[in-house]
Amino acid sequence: MPSSFEEAARRVLTRADELATYTEAPGQITRPVATRAMEGARAQVREWMHAARLETRVDAIGNLAGRRGDARLVVGSHLDSVADAGRYDGVLGILVGLEVAERLDHRLEVVAFADEDGLRFQSIYLGSRSFVGELTPQELAVRDVNGVTLREAIAGEPAPPLYDPRTEAYLEVHIEQGPVLEAEGIALGVVTAIAGQSRFNLAFNGHAGHAGTTPMHLRRDAAAAAAEFVLAAERIALDEPGLVATVGELNVPRGAVNVIPGRADVTLDIRHQDDAVRERATARLQAETEEITQRRAVPVTWSTISHQDATLCTPALVERVAEAVAATGVKPRRLPSGAGHDTVTLARMTDTAMLFVRCAGGISHHPDESVTEADVALAIEAATRFVCSI
Ligand SMILES: [Zn+2]
């Protein structure tokens, strides 16, 4: 007789507390790839996998896969963390997967990815990309702050990949990491897509001058141009439903209280679940920036940091997740994910679905990250129903 979903949820929360003790920084949760903290957490999860009647394998980077029989369905998320993290980002998806494996006899695989947050190598999805066999020699040569390469940090060649090409579906359960579900009073979210994102560095080049002697009409103030840019980005984002645009860094190098800024450096992060909308908004912002910089005689250079296209969850599986959520008594709320997830990698290989769990205040990547036992119980029930529907 399987335990109730409430009992299972209690165990998930207890286990999340236990995993939180595996850290490289005492007093925090800081668990980068290929460290003792990761090794300890992985050994613990491996024990729980064996208890759930799963056969385990580990690859060189530290991905852990617990498999039952001829599994075609993978349930997973990541075991690493950012610096001074919360205890549910990633971990929740692994622990919910374990509860599903515990209560069902289905052939399935639960995976704990070794690196999603990219803390050590400033990378993305190293774990899941290694899992599917996508890591390149250039990535293996990337160094951490101590000069250690990824190749040196891991236990050997990352081949062969653990991923089984016969896999038919991937499910990831994850905290929302945003405030939408809480604001609407809904426990679970049905993820439709993971937003695409573009990131840029912009340098506004004006002319430094004396703050007292240069009249306003003769100035070429780089910070004033950058300020107009920030507001243009905000206005354009407000104009496009679902678009988010953020200027997270705003610097005046060598600035001083009595000097007109000769240079301003800013970053732009722009995201939407529809690539065409993101590209249109970016083009519009570039045109407006051109107008601002011409009028002010403050030329700007754009350099691209990264582009990532949106990832659509598989529509048929999105519907199955919605049905599983509805069966728990929660009204299915479909929403895109603004944050990236391992699902992005798996979506290149197989059909994918994601289930979000409400988190308090939308807080994530922070020690205050929190979920309720009742919501986790609903997530376990929905994930169980989803797996049974496959
Ligand atoms: Zn995560």
Side-chain angles (χ1 to χ4, degrees):
M1 182 70 184
S3 57
S4 70
F5 292 116
E6 288 71 23
E7 280 167 335
R10 262 197 296 286
R11 180 159 67 171
V12 164
L13 297 187
T14 306
R15 285 178 166 182
D17 291 344
E18 262 179 87
L19 290 178
T21 64
Y22 295 98
T23 176
E24 290 291 296
Q28 299 182 355
I29 303 168
T30 299
R31 207 163 45 237
V33 65
T35 56
R36 289 176 69 102
M38 270 301 280
E39 209 178 295
R42 187 170 56 243
Q44 179 59 80
V45 174
R46 193 174 193 174
E47 235 176 68
W48 293 333
M49 283 178 166
H50 291 154
R53 311 177 312 283
L54 301 171
E55 267 180 54
T56 58
R57 298 172 297 155
V58 178
D59 68 8
I61 199 168
N63 291 315
L64 168 64
R67 193 175 171 88
R68 185 182 299 140
D70 200 10
R72 294 286 188 272
L73 170 66
V74 176
V75 183
S77 196
H78 60 97
L79 192 57
D80 68 314
S81 82
V82 296
D84 202 8
R87 58 191 60 201
Y88 303 108
D89 173 14
V91 162
L92 182 69
I94 299 164
L95 297 179
V96 169
L98 278 172
E99 292 303 325
V100 175
E102 184 83 40
R103 61 198 314 123
L104 297 177
D105 288 322
H106 286 56
R107 293 169 301 170
L108 56 79
E109 183 165 57
V110 180
V111 177
F113 295 112
D115 183 283
E116 193 270 347
D117 278 313
L119 174 60
R120 182 164 175 189
F121 293 98
Q122 319 289 300
S123 51
I124 49 170
Y125 313 136
L126 285 182
S128 53
R129 295 184 49 243
S130 177
F131 180 77
V132 303
E134 265 186 10
L135 281 196
T136 62
Q138 293 93 306
E139 284 172 298
L140 289 166
V142 169
R143 291 176 193 278
D144 69 6
V145 289
N146 296 316
V148 179
T149 65
L150 176 58
R151 186 184 292 280
E152 288 159 355
I154 67 181
E157 283 302 306
L162 293 178
Y163 179 75
D164 182 341
R166 295 168 302 174
T167 300
E168 287 166 5
Y170 172 73
L171 171 70
E172 182 162 0
V173 179
H174 204 284
I175 58 167
E176 182 198 353
Q177 300 184 288
V180 175
L181 295 174
E182 187 184 55
E184 297 182 8
I186 303 174
L188 303 175
V190 181
V191 180
T192 52
I194 294 162
Q197 56 174 270
S198 298
R199 291 180 177 176
F200 303 93
N201 281 313
L202 284 82
F204 292 87
N205 293 288
H207 192 76
H210 194 292
T213 61
T214 315
M216 296 308 286
H217 72 284
L218 292 179
R219 294 184 180 205
R220 294 168 53 203
D221 184 329
E228 274 202 65
F229 169 81
V230 174
L231 295 178
E234 185 185 49
R235 183 164 29 77
I236 287 169
L238 285 166
D239 260 11
E240 290 278 7
L243 189 85
V244 286
T246 306
V247 176
E249 290 182 42
L250 188 59
N251 297 313
V252 175
R254 296 178 301 284
V257 66
N258 58 352
V259 178
I260 300 161
R263 165 134 181 181
D265 295 329
V266 309
T267 57
L268 172 69
D269 175 306
I270 187 163
R271 308 186 191 202
H272 196 275
Q273 62 171 320
D274 181 338
D275 292 330
V277 173
R278 183 181 93 251
E279 282 157 16
R280 181 173 71 217
T282 305
R284 200 176 137 201
L285 183 55
Q286 281 169 330
E288 286 206 23
T289 308
E290 194 56 33
E291 186 279 315
I292 294 164
T293 56
Q294 292 217 350
R295 170 163 43 78
R296 290 179 168 275
V298 176
V300 67
T301 54
W302 290 69
S303 44
T304 302
I305 301 169
S306 62
H307 286 299
Q308 182 111 42
D309 283 346
T311 298
L312 281 184
C313 293
T314 308
L317 293 191
V318 172
E319 286 322 299
R320 294 219 182 164
V321 173
E323 284 162 20
V325 167
T328 70
V330 175
K331 190 164 166 274
R333 165 66 157 98
R334 292 169 177 79
L335 77 171
S337 171
H341 295 291
D342 293 305
T343 297
V344 170
T345 303
L346 274 294
R348 288 194 285 274
M349 315 299 289
T350 188
D351 289 352
T352 56
M354 275 196 87
L355 175 69
F356 269 170
V357 182
R358 166 170 60 184
C359 60
I363 295 166
S364 184
H365 288 181
H366 188 278
D368 290 347
E369 213 170 73
S370 128
V371 292
T372 67
E373 192 181 297
D375 287 0
V376 173
L378 288 167
I380 297 166
E381 183 180 355
T384 304
R385 289 178 181 276
F386 173 85
V387 170
C388 290
S389 78
I390 291 288

